[in-house]
Amino acid sequence: MNLRALTPMLRTPDLAATVAFYTQVLDFQLSAGDAAGGWAALERDGVELMLSRLNAHEGDLAPAFTGSLYLRTDDVDGWWRRLRERARVCYPIEDFGYGMREFAIYDNNGYLLQFGQPIAAFDEA
């Protein structure tokens, strides 16, 4: 009895704009669904994300999520150069005492996306 994956599903009032953000800004590919159908599955480099319209059954009025999506990368500086002018920045790139170099941006809904790379990876390069 094993878990095989965890795929976040984010709700949005404007599914088309959210699909556009993830495909145009972050280069995810649409793998299933579409805005007209009310949900979409996206993929990039083996990372999966699902998006859906707000859920009327649960009384959604706006996007809501108390955590963040943490994306580990092999080139955090490259991502920073790419995204710092294309998205609202939460905090700029920085080395943290817990061994990660990271930064964070918000998507078009205000969901927090953190990008990180172990600092040890820089020492090995």
Side-chain angles (χ1 to χ4, degrees):
M1 188 163 65
N2 298 314
L3 297 174
R4 301 282 183 211
L6 174 65
T7 305
M9 179 175 293
L10 302 177
R11 296 179 187 153
T12 175
D14 189 343
L15 186 55
T18 303
V19 168
F21 178 88
Y22 282 90
T23 58
Q24 295 170 15
V25 176
L26 299 177
D27 286 338
F28 275 78
Q29 300 296 315
L30 183 67
S31 58
D34 59 29
W39 73 277
L42 306 173
E43 186 275 332
R44 181 196 163 121
D45 303 327
V47 173
E48 296 179 336
L49 176 66
M50 293 177 69
L51 306 170
S52 74
R53 289 190 193 130
L54 297 179
N55 187 328
H57 299 289
E58 293 187 27
D60 290 345
L61 300 175
F65 181 64
T66 59
S68 66
L69 300 180
Y70 195 95
L71 299 132
R72 291 181 64 127
T73 177
D74 62 358
D75 186 6
V76 72
D77 288 286
W79 277 106
W80 172 245
R81 286 189 299 274
R82 177 187 177 141
L83 297 175
R84 66 183 175 203
E85 301 295 328
R86 299 181 73 188
R88 185 168 55 107
V89 173
C90 175
Y91 61 87
I93 198 159
E94 182 179 342
D95 292 344
F96 288 90
Y98 47 83
M100 295 296 287
R101 180 169 176 79
E102 61 187 49
F103 68 93
I105 62 167
Y106 297 100
D107 79 356
N108 63 306
N109 296 287
Y111 291 118
L112 183 61
L113 307 177
Q114 295 174 270
F115 291 76
Q117 180 177 6
I119 292 171
F122 294 98
D123 297 335
E124 295 168 4

Coordinates of all heavy atoms in Angstrom, one line a residue, residues 9-86:
M9 N -4.0 20.5 -6.3 CA -5.0 21.1 -7.2 C -5.4 22.4 -6.6 O -5.8 22.6 -5.4 CB -6.3 20.2 -7.2 CG -7.4 20.9 -8.1 SD -8.8 19.9 -8.3 CE -8.3 18.6 -9.3
L10 N -5.2 23.5 -7.4 CA -5.4 24.8 -7.0 C -6.7 25.3 -7.7 O -6.9 25.1 -8.8 CB -4.3 25.7 -7.4 CG -2.9 25.4 -6.9 CD1 -1.8 26.3 -7.4 CD2 -2.9 25.4 -5.4
R11 N -7.5 26.0 -6.9 CA -8.8 26.5 -7.4 C -8.6 28.0 -7.8 O -7.9 28.7 -7.1 CB -9.9 26.4 -6.4 CG -10.2 24.9 -6.1 CD -11.3 24.8 -5.0 NE -11.4 23.4 -4.6 CZ -11.9 23.1 -3.4 NH1 -12.2 24.0 -2.6 NH2 -12.0 21.8 -3.1
T12 N -9.3 28.4 -8.9 CA -9.1 29.7 -9.4 C -10.4 30.2 -10.0 O -11.2 29.4 -10.6 CB -8.0 29.8 -10.5 OG1 -8.0 31.1 -11.0 CG2 -8.3 28.8 -11.5
P13 N -10.7 31.5 -9.8 CA -11.9 32.1 -10.5 C -11.7 32.3 -12.0 O -12.7 32.4 -12.7 CB -12.2 33.4 -9.8 CG -10.8 33.8 -9.3 CD -10.1 32.5 -9.0
D14 N -10.5 32.3 -12.4 CA -10.2 32.6 -13.9 C -9.3 31.5 -14.3 O -8.0 31.6 -14.4 CB -9.6 34.0 -14.1 CG -9.5 34.3 -15.5 OD1 -9.6 33.4 -16.4 OD2 -9.4 35.5 -15.8
L15 N -9.9 30.3 -14.7 CA -9.0 29.2 -15.1 C -8.2 29.5 -16.3 O -7.0 29.1 -16.4 CB -10.0 28.0 -15.3 CG -9.3 26.6 -15.6 CD1 -8.3 26.3 -14.5 CD2 -10.3 25.6 -15.7
A16 N -8.7 30.1 -17.3 CA -8.0 30.4 -18.5 C -6.7 31.3 -18.2 O -5.6 31.0 -18.7 CB -8.8 31.1 -19.5
A17 N -6.9 32.3 -17.4 CA -5.7 33.1 -17.0 C -4.7 32.3 -16.2 O -3.5 32.5 -16.4 CB -6.2 34.3 -16.2
T18 N -5.1 31.4 -15.4 CA -4.2 30.6 -14.6 C -3.5 29.6 -15.4 O -2.3 29.4 -15.3 CB -5.0 29.9 -13.4 OG1 -5.6 31.0 -12.6 CG2 -4.0 29.2 -12.5
V19 N -4.2 29.0 -16.3 CA -3.5 28.1 -17.3 C -2.5 28.9 -18.1 O -1.3 28.4 -18.3 CB -4.5 27.4 -18.2 CG1 -3.8 26.7 -19.4 CG2 -5.3 26.4 -17.5
A20 N -2.8 30.1 -18.5 CA -1.9 30.9 -19.2 C -0.6 31.3 -18.4 O 0.5 31.2 -18.9 CB -2.6 32.2 -19.7
F21 N -0.8 31.6 -17.1 CA 0.3 31.9 -16.2 C 1.3 30.7 -16.2 O 2.5 30.9 -16.4 CB -0.2 32.3 -14.8 CG 1.0 32.6 -13.9 CD1 1.5 33.8 -13.8 CD2 1.5 31.5 -13.1 CE1 2.6 34.1 -12.9 CE2 2.6 31.8 -12.3 CZ 3.1 33.1 -12.2
Y22 N 0.7 29.5 -15.9 CA 1.6 28.4 -15.7 C 2.2 27.9 -17.0 O 3.4 27.4 -17.0 CB 0.8 27.3 -15.0 CG 0.7 27.5 -13.5 CD1 -0.3 28.2 -13.0 CD2 1.7 27.1 -12.6 CE1 -0.4 28.5 -11.6 CE2 1.7 27.4 -11.3 CZ 0.6 28.1 -10.8 OH 0.5 28.4 -9.4
T23 N 1.5 28.1 -18.1 CA 2.1 27.6 -19.4 C 3.0 28.7 -20.0 O 4.1 28.3 -20.5 CB 1.0 27.2 -20.4 OG1 0.1 28.3 -20.6 CG2 0.2 26.0 -19.9
Q24 N 2.7 29.9 -19.9 CA 3.5 31.0 -20.5 C 4.7 31.5 -19.6 O 5.7 31.8 -20.1 CB 2.6 32.1 -20.9 CG 1.6 31.8 -22.0 CD 0.6 32.8 -22.3 OE1 0.7 34.0 -21.9 NE2 -0.5 32.4 -23.0
V25 N 4.4 31.6 -18.3 CA 5.5 32.1 -17.5 C 6.4 31.0 -17.0 O 7.6 31.1 -16.9 CB 4.8 32.9 -16.3 CG1 5.9 33.3 -15.3 CG2 4.0 34.1 -16.8
L26 N 5.8 29.8 -16.6 CA 6.6 28.7 -16.0 C 6.8 27.6 -17.0 O 7.4 26.6 -16.6 CB 5.9 28.2 -14.8 CG 5.7 29.2 -13.6 CD1 5.0 28.6 -12.5 CD2 7.1 29.7 -13.2
D27 N 6.3 27.7 -18.2 CA 6.5 26.6 -19.3 C 5.9 25.3 -19.0 O 6.5 24.2 -19.4 CB 8.0 26.5 -19.7 CG 8.5 27.7 -20.5 OD1 7.6 28.4 -21.1 OD2 9.7 27.9 -20.5
F28 N 4.9 25.2 -18.1 CA 4.2 23.9 -18.0 C 3.4 23.6 -19.3 O 3.1 24.5 -20.1 CB 3.2 24.0 -16.8 CG 3.7 23.8 -15.5 CD1 4.5 24.7 -14.8 CD2 3.5 22.6 -14.8 CE1 5.0 24.5 -13.5 CE2 4.0 22.3 -13.6 CZ 4.8 23.3 -12.9
Q29 N 3.2 22.4 -19.5 CA 2.4 21.9 -20.7 C 1.0 21.5 -20.2 O 0.9 20.8 -19.2 CB 3.1 20.8 -21.4 CG 4.5 21.2 -21.9 CD 4.4 22.3 -23.0 OE1 3.6 22.2 -23.9 NE2 5.3 23.3 -22.8
L30 N 0.0 21.8 -21.0 CA -1.3 21.2 -20.7 C -1.4 19.8 -21.0 O -1.1 19.4 -22.2 CB -2.4 22.0 -21.5 CG -3.8 21.7 -21.3 CD1 -4.3 22.1 -19.9 CD2 -4.7 22.4 -22.3
S31 N -1.7 18.9 -20.1 CA -1.7 17.5 -20.3 C -3.1 16.9 -20.4 O -3.3 15.8 -20.9 CB -0.8 16.7 -19.3 OG -1.3 17.0 -18.0
A32 N -4.0 17.6 -19.8 CA -5.4 17.1 -19.9 C -6.3 18.2 -19.5 O -5.9 19.2 -18.8 CB -5.6 15.9 -18.9
G33 N -7.6 18.1 -19.9 CA -8.6 19.1 -19.6 C -8.4 20.4 -20.3 O -7.5 20.6 -21.1
D34 N -9.2 21.4 -20.0 CA -9.1 22.8 -20.5 C -10.0 23.7 -19.7 O -10.8 23.3 -18.9 CB -9.5 22.8 -22.0 CG -10.9 22.3 -22.3 OD1 -11.8 22.4 -21.4 OD2 -11.1 21.8 -23.4
A35 N -9.8 25.0 -20.0 CA -10.6 26.0 -19.2 C -12.1 25.8 -19.4 O -12.9 26.0 -18.5 CB -10.2 27.4 -19.6
A36 N -12.5 25.5 -20.6 CA -14.0 25.3 -20.9 C -14.6 24.2 -20.1 O -15.7 24.2 -19.7 CB -14.2 25.1 -22.4
G37 N -13.8 23.1 -19.8 CA -14.3 22.0 -19.0 C -14.2 22.2 -17.5 O -14.7 21.3 -16.8
G38 N -13.6 23.3 -17.1 CA -13.6 23.6 -15.7 C -12.4 23.0 -14.9 O -12.3 23.3 -13.7
W39 N -11.5 22.3 -15.5 CA -10.3 21.9 -14.9 C -9.2 21.6 -15.9 O -9.4 21.5 -17.1 CB -10.5 20.6 -14.1 CG -10.7 19.4 -15.0 CD1 -11.8 19.0 -15.6 CD2 -9.7 18.4 -15.3 NE1 -11.6 17.9 -16.3 CE2 -10.3 17.5 -16.2 CE3 -8.3 18.3 -15.0 CZ2 -9.6 16.4 -16.8 CZ3 -7.6 17.3 -15.6 CH2 -8.2 16.3 -16.5
A40 N -7.9 21.6 -15.4 CA -6.8 21.4 -16.3 C -5.7 20.7 -15.5 O -5.5 20.9 -14.3 CB -6.3 22.7 -16.9
A41 N -5.0 19.8 -16.2 CA -3.8 19.1 -15.6 C -2.6 19.7 -16.4 O -2.6 19.7 -17.6 CB -3.9 17.6 -15.8
L42 N -1.6 20.0 -15.6 CA -0.4 20.6 -16.2 C 0.8 19.7 -15.8 O 0.8 19.1 -14.7 CB -0.2 22.0 -15.8 CG -1.3 23.0 -16.0 CD1 -1.1 24.3 -15.4 CD2 -1.6 23.2 -17.5
E43 N 1.9 19.8 -16.6 CA 3.1 19.0 -16.3 C 4.3 19.7 -16.8 O 4.3 20.4 -17.9 CB 3.0 17.6 -16.9 CG 4.1 16.6 -16.6 CD 5.3 16.8 -17.4 OE1 5.2 17.2 -18.6 OE2 6.4 16.5 -16.9
R44 N 5.4 19.6 -16.1 CA 6.7 20.1 -16.5 C 7.8 19.3 -15.7 O 7.7 19.3 -14.5 CB 6.9 21.6 -16.2 CG 8.2 22.1 -16.7 CD 8.7 23.4 -16.2 NE 10.1 23.5 -16.5 CZ 10.7 24.4 -17.2 NH1 9.9 25.4 -17.7 NH2 12.0 24.4 -17.3
D45 N 8.7 18.7 -16.5 CA 9.8 18.0 -15.9 C 9.4 17.0 -14.8 O 10.0 16.8 -13.8 CB 10.8 19.0 -15.2 CG 11.3 20.1 -16.2 OD1 11.5 19.8 -17.3 OD2 11.5 21.2 -15.7
G46 N 8.3 16.3 -15.0 CA 7.8 15.3 -14.1 C 7.0 15.9 -12.9 O 6.5 15.2 -12.1
V47 N 6.9 17.2 -12.9 CA 6.1 17.9 -11.8 C 4.7 18.1 -12.4 O 4.5 18.6 -13.5 CB 6.7 19.3 -11.4 CG1 5.8 20.0 -10.5 CG2 8.1 19.0 -10.8
E48 N 3.7 17.7 -11.6 CA 2.3 17.8 -12.0 C 1.5 18.8 -11.1 O 1.8 18.9 -9.9 CB 1.6 16.4 -11.9 CG 2.2 15.4 -12.9 CD 1.5 14.1 -12.8 OE1 0.9 13.8 -11.7 OE2 1.6 13.3 -13.8
L49 N 0.6 19.5 -11.7 CA -0.3 20.4 -11.1 C -1.6 20.4 -11.7 O -1.7 20.2 -12.9 CB 0.3 21.8 -11.2 CG -0.5 23.0 -10.6 CD1 -0.5 22.9 -9.1 CD2 0.1 24.3 -11.0
M50 N -2.7 20.4 -10.9 CA -4.0 20.5 -11.4 C -4.7 21.8 -11.0 O -4.4 22.3 -9.9 CB -4.9 19.3 -10.9 CG -4.4 18.0 -11.5 SD -5.3 16.5 -10.9 CE -6.9 16.8 -11.6
L51 N -5.5 22.3 -11.9 CA -6.2 23.6 -11.6 C -7.7 23.3 -11.9 O -8.1 22.5 -12.7 CB -5.7 24.6 -12.6 CG -4.2 24.9 -12.7 CD1 -3.9 25.8 -13.9 CD2 -3.8 25.5 -11.4
S52 N -8.5 24.0 -11.1 CA -10.0 23.9 -11.3 C -10.6 25.2 -11.0 O -10.1 26.1 -10.4 CB -10.6 22.8 -10.4 OG -10.6 23.2 -9.1
R53 N -11.8 25.4 -11.5 CA -12.6 26.5 -11.2 C -12.9 26.5 -9.7 O -12.8 25.4 -9.0 CB -14.0 26.5 -11.9 CG -13.8 26.8 -13.4 CD -15.2 27.0 -14.0 NE -15.1 27.0 -15.4 CZ -15.8 26.2 -16.2 NH1 -16.8 25.5 -15.7 NH2 -15.7 26.3 -17.5
L54 N -13.4 27.6 -9.1 CA -13.8 27.6 -7.7 C -14.9 26.5 -7.5 O -15.7 26.3 -8.4 CB -14.3 28.9 -7.3 CG -13.3 30.1 -7.4 CD1 -14.0 31.4 -7.0 CD2 -12.1 29.8 -6.5
N55 N -15.0 25.9 -6.4 CA -15.9 24.8 -6.1 C -17.1 25.3 -5.4 O -17.1 25.6 -4.2 CB -15.1 23.7 -5.2 CG -15.9 22.5 -5.1 OD1 -17.2 22.5 -5.0 ND2 -15.2 21.4 -4.9
A56 N -18.2 25.4 -6.1 CA -19.5 25.9 -5.5 C -20.0 25.0 -4.4 O -20.6 25.5 -3.5 CB -20.5 26.0 -6.6
H57 N -19.7 23.7 -4.5 CA -20.2 22.7 -3.5 C -19.5 23.0 -2.1 O -20.1 22.7 -1.1 CB -19.9 21.3 -3.9 CG -20.5 20.9 -5.1 ND1 -21.9 20.7 -5.2 CD2 -20.0 20.6 -6.4 CE1 -22.2 20.3 -6.4 NE2 -21.1 20.3 -7.2
E58 N -18.3 23.6 -2.1 CA -17.7 23.9 -0.9 C -17.8 25.4 -0.5 O -17.2 25.8 0.5 CB -16.2 23.5 -1.0 CG -16.1 22.0 -1.1 CD -14.6 21.5 -1.0 OE1 -13.8 22.2 -0.3 OE2 -14.3 20.4 -1.5
G59 N -18.5 26.2 -1.3 CA -18.7 27.6 -1.1 C -17.5 28.5 -1.3 O -17.4 29.5 -0.8
D60 N -16.6 28.0 -2.2 CA -15.4 28.9 -2.6 C -15.9 30.2 -3.1 O -16.8 30.3 -4.0 CB -14.6 28.2 -3.7 CG -13.8 27.0 -3.2 OD1 -13.7 26.8 -2.0 OD2 -13.4 26.2 -4.1
L61 N -15.3 31.3 -2.6 CA -15.5 32.6 -3.1 C -14.3 33.2 -3.7 O -14.4 34.1 -4.5 CB -16.0 33.5 -2.0 CG -17.3 33.1 -1.3 CD1 -17.6 34.0 -0.1 CD2 -18.5 33.0 -2.3
A62 N -13.1 32.7 -3.3 CA -11.9 33.2 -3.8 C -10.8 32.1 -3.6 O -11.0 31.2 -2.9 CB -11.5 34.5 -3.1
P63 N -9.7 32.2 -4.4 CA -8.6 31.3 -4.1 C -8.1 31.3 -2.7 O -8.1 32.4 -2.1 CB -7.5 31.8 -5.1 CG -8.1 32.6 -6.1 CD -9.3 33.2 -5.4
A64 N -7.9 30.2 -2.1 CA -7.4 30.1 -0.7 C -6.5 28.9 -0.5 O -6.9 27.8 -0.9 CB -8.6 30.0 0.2
F65 N -5.4 29.1 0.1 CA -4.4 28.1 0.4 C -3.5 28.6 1.5 O -2.9 29.7 1.2 CB -3.7 27.6 -0.8 CG -2.7 26.5 -0.7 CD1 -3.1 25.3 -0.3 CD2 -1.4 26.7 -1.0 CE1 -2.2 24.2 -0.2 CE2 -0.5 25.7 -0.8 CZ -0.9 24.5 -0.5
T66 N -3.3 28.0 2.6 CA -2.5 28.6 3.6 C -1.0 28.2 3.5 O -0.2 28.8 4.2 CB -3.0 28.2 5.0 OG1 -2.9 26.7 5.1 CG2 -4.4 28.6 5.3
G67 N -0.7 27.4 2.6 CA 0.7 27.0 2.5 C 1.3 27.5 1.2 O 0.9 28.6 0.7
S68 N 2.4 26.9 0.8 CA 3.0 27.3 -0.5 C 3.4 26.0 -1.3 O 3.4 24.9 -0.7 CB 4.3 28.1 -0.2 OG 5.3 27.2 0.5
L69 N 3.7 26.2 -2.5 CA 4.2 25.1 -3.4 C 5.7 25.4 -3.5 O 6.1 26.4 -3.9 CB 3.5 25.2 -4.7 CG 2.0 25.0 -4.8 CD1 1.5 25.0 -6.2 CD2 1.6 23.7 -4.1
Y70 N 6.5 24.4 -3.0 CA 7.9 24.5 -3.0 C 8.5 23.7 -4.2 O 8.3 22.5 -4.2 CB 8.5 24.0 -1.7 CG 9.9 24.4 -1.4 CD1 10.2 25.6 -0.7 CD2 11.0 23.7 -2.0 CE1 11.5 26.0 -0.5 CE2 12.3 24.1 -1.8 CZ 12.5 25.3 -1.0 OH 13.8 25.7 -0.8
L71 N 9.1 24.4 -5.1 CA 9.7 23.7 -6.3 C 11.2 23.7 -6.2 O 11.9 24.7 -6.1 CB 9.3 24.5 -7.5 CG 7.8 24.6 -7.8 CD1 7.3 26.0 -8.0 CD2 7.4 23.6 -8.8
R72 N 11.7 22.4 -6.1 CA 13.1 22.2 -6.0 C 13.7 22.2 -7.4 O 13.1 21.6 -8.3 CB 13.5 21.0 -5.3 CG 13.1 21.1 -3.8 CD 13.5 19.8 -3.0 NE 14.9 19.6 -3.1 CZ 15.7 19.4 -2.0 NH1 15.1 19.4 -0.8 NH2 17.0 19.3 -2.1
T73 N 14.8 22.9 -7.6 CA 15.3 23.1 -9.0 C 16.8 22.8 -9.0 O 17.5 22.9 -7.9 CB 15.0 24.5 -9.6 OG1 15.6 24.6 -10.8 CG2 15.5 25.6 -8.6
D74 N 17.4 22.6 -10.2 CA 18.8 22.5 -10.3 C 19.5 23.8 -10.7 O 20.7 23.9 -11.0 CB 19.2 21.3 -11.2 CG 18.7 21.5 -12.6 OD1 18.0 22.6 -12.9 OD2 19.0 20.7 -13.5
D75 N 18.6 24.9 -10.9 CA 19.2 26.2 -11.3 C 18.3 27.3 -10.8 O 17.6 28.0 -11.5 CB 19.2 26.2 -12.9 CG 19.9 27.5 -13.4 OD1 20.4 28.3 -12.5 OD2 19.9 27.7 -14.6
V76 N 18.4 27.5 -9.5 CA 17.5 28.5 -8.8 C 17.9 29.9 -9.3 O 17.0 30.7 -9.5 CB 17.6 28.4 -7.3 CG1 18.9 28.9 -6.7 CG2 16.4 29.1 -6.6
D77 N 19.2 30.2 -9.6 CA 19.5 31.5 -10.1 C 18.9 31.7 -11.5 O 18.5 32.9 -11.8 CB 21.0 31.6 -10.1 CG 21.6 31.8 -8.7 OD1 21.4 32.9 -8.1 OD2 22.2 30.8 -8.2
G78 N 18.9 30.7 -12.3 CA 18.3 30.8 -13.7 C 16.8 31.1 -13.6 O 16.3 32.0 -14.3
W79 N 16.1 30.4 -12.7 CA 14.7 30.7 -12.5 C 14.5 32.1 -11.9 O 13.6 32.8 -12.3 CB 14.1 29.7 -11.5 CG 13.7 28.4 -12.2 CD1 14.4 27.2 -12.1 CD2 12.6 28.2 -13.0 NE1 13.7 26.3 -12.9 CE2 12.6 26.9 -13.4 CE3 11.6 29.0 -13.5 CZ2 11.6 26.3 -14.3 CZ3 10.6 28.5 -14.3 CH2 10.6 27.2 -14.7
W80 N 15.4 32.6 -11.0 CA 15.2 33.9 -10.5 C 15.4 35.0 -11.6 O 14.6 35.9 -11.7 CB 16.3 34.2 -9.4 CG 16.3 35.6 -8.9 CD1 17.4 36.4 -9.1 CD2 15.3 36.3 -8.3 NE1 17.1 37.7 -8.5 CE2 15.8 37.6 -8.1 CE3 14.0 36.0 -7.9 CZ2 15.0 38.6 -7.4 CZ3 13.2 37.0 -7.3 CH2 13.7 38.3 -7.1
R81 N 16.4 34.8 -12.4 CA 16.6 35.7 -13.6 C 15.4 35.8 -14.5 O 14.9 36.8 -14.9 CB 17.8 35.4 -14.4 CG 19.1 35.7 -13.6 CD 20.3 35.6 -14.5 NE 20.5 34.2 -15.0 CZ 21.2 33.3 -14.3 NH1 21.7 33.5 -13.1 NH2 21.3 32.1 -14.8
R82 N 14.8 34.6 -14.7 CA 13.6 34.5 -15.6 C 12.4 35.1 -15.0 O 11.6 35.7 -15.7 CB 13.4 33.0 -15.9 CG 12.2 32.8 -16.7 CD 11.9 31.4 -16.9 NE 10.6 31.3 -17.7 CZ 10.4 30.4 -18.6 NH1 11.3 29.5 -18.9 NH2 9.3 30.4 -19.2
L83 N 12.1 34.9 -13.7 CA 10.8 35.2 -13.1 C 10.8 36.6 -12.4 O 9.7 37.1 -12.1 CB 10.4 34.1 -12.1 CG 10.2 32.8 -12.8 CD1 9.9 31.7 -11.7 CD2 9.1 32.8 -13.8
R84 N 11.9 37.1 -12.0 CA 11.9 38.3 -11.1 C 11.1 39.5 -11.7 O 10.6 40.3 -11.0 CB 13.3 38.7 -10.7 CG 14.1 39.2 -11.8 CD 15.5 39.5 -11.4 NE 16.3 39.8 -12.5 CZ 17.6 39.7 -12.6 NH1 18.3 39.3 -11.5 NH2 18.3 40.0 -13.6
E85 N 11.1 39.6 -13.0 CA 10.3 40.7 -13.7 C 9.0 40.2 -14.3 O 8.2 41.0 -14.8 CB 11.2 41.2 -14.8 CG 12.5 41.8 -14.4 CD 12.4 43.0 -13.5 OE1 11.4 43.8 -13.6 OE2 13.3 43.2 -12.6
R86 N 8.7 38.9 -14.2 CA 7.5 38.4 -14.8 C 6.4 38.0 -13.8 O 5.3 37.6 -14.2 CB 7.8 37.2 -15.6 CG 8.8 37.5 -16.7 CD 9.1 36.3 -17.6 NE 8.0 35.9 -18.4 CZ 7.9 34.8 -19.1 NH1 8.9 33.9 -19.1 NH2 6.8 34.6 -19.9

